[in-house]
Amino acid sequence: MPETKNKTILIVEDEPQNRKLFRDILEFNGYAVIEASDGRQGVMLAKEHVPDLILMDMQLPVMDGMEATRILQQDEQTKGINIVALTANVMPGDKDKIMEAGCYDFIAKPFRLHEFLHKIAGYFGRSHPKSPTK
Ligand code: MN
């Protein structure tokens, strides 16, 4: 199993219940978790903490997930962080836009817990990240 200890994940999610769910399951599995509730706060916390992974909801207030991703991918300090889009109701073409914005992968909501954790662990197991969705 890939090492999960000392890995920090930033969750950018506006639904408090979803945020709590992500935090609970990730912390239970040994990850350190930081939370943001909108895109602008997400960008701010990503620059401040430089997490190992970002789970980015796409539908967010203040600044949406796609714009936040673009900003982080253009920033020297944060462009190396893998950003995984969290999406509900993905339409054809949305996936391309999400990947073009600089996301590394996406996870559709709702998700199966086991698959979710397996995916997260897998991101840390690759020494040379490669998008599994392409
Ligand atoms: Mn949302």
Side-chain angles (χ1 to χ4, degrees), residues 13-15 18 57-61 109:
E13 164 69 66
D14 59 320
E15 286 291 330
N18 283 349
D57 183 24
M58 290 291 104
Q59 283 84 45
L60 290 168
K109 296 189 285 187

Side-chain angles (χ1 to χ4, degrees), residues 81-128:
I81 305 170
N82 284 336
I83 301 175
V84 176
L86 301 173
T87 54
N89 308 313
V90 182
M91 306 294 280
D94 284 0
K95 184 181 145 188
D96 292 339
K97 281 187 222 156
I98 288 166
M99 301 312 278
E100 273 167 29
C103 287
Y104 166 65
D105 193 12
F106 74 92
I107 293 174
K109 296 189 285 187
F111 52 82
R112 289 199 184 94
L113 183 56
H114 180 79
E115 284 172 21
F116 172 76
L117 288 169
H118 191 76
K119 262 193 153 184
I120 300 296
Y123 298 136
F124 295 117
R126 292 185 185 88
S127 52
H128 299 287

Side-chain angles (χ1 to χ4, degrees), residues 10-118:
L10 169 62
I11 304 162
V12 190
E13 164 69 66
D14 59 320
E15 286 291 330
Q17 284 180 325
N18 283 349
R19 228 167 37 235
K20 185 181 183 327
L21 175 71
F22 284 124
R23 174 186 275 280
D24 287 350
I25 59 181
L26 291 170
E27 284 186 344
F28 184 75
N29 282 274
Y31 299 100
V33 174
I34 302 166
E35 295 175 27
S37 55
D38 67 61
R40 186 179 294 163
Q41 191 189 20
V43 169
M44 212 179 69
L45 291 179
K47 289 183 182 184
E48 189 181 335
H49 296 276
V50 192
D52 299 294
L53 182 75
I54 300 174
L55 298 179
M56 181 82 79
D57 183 24
M58 290 291 104
Q59 283 84 45
L60 290 168
V62 187
M63 176 192 292
D64 72 24
M66 232 178 276
E67 190 182 348
T69 297
R70 278 190 211 102
I71 290 170
L72 292 172
Q73 289 299 297
Q74 286 164 13
D75 188 293
E76 276 300 317
Q77 199 188 350
T78 55
K79 70 180 183 187
I81 305 170
N82 284 336
I83 301 175
V84 176
L86 301 173
T87 54
N89 308 313
V90 182
M91 306 294 280
D94 284 0
K95 184 181 145 188
D96 292 339
K97 281 187 222 156
I98 288 166
M99 301 312 278
E100 273 167 29
C103 287
Y104 166 65
D105 193 12
F106 74 92
I107 293 174
K109 296 189 285 187
F111 52 82
R112 289 199 184 94
L113 183 56
H114 180 79
E115 284 172 21
F116 172 76
L117 288 169
H118 191 76

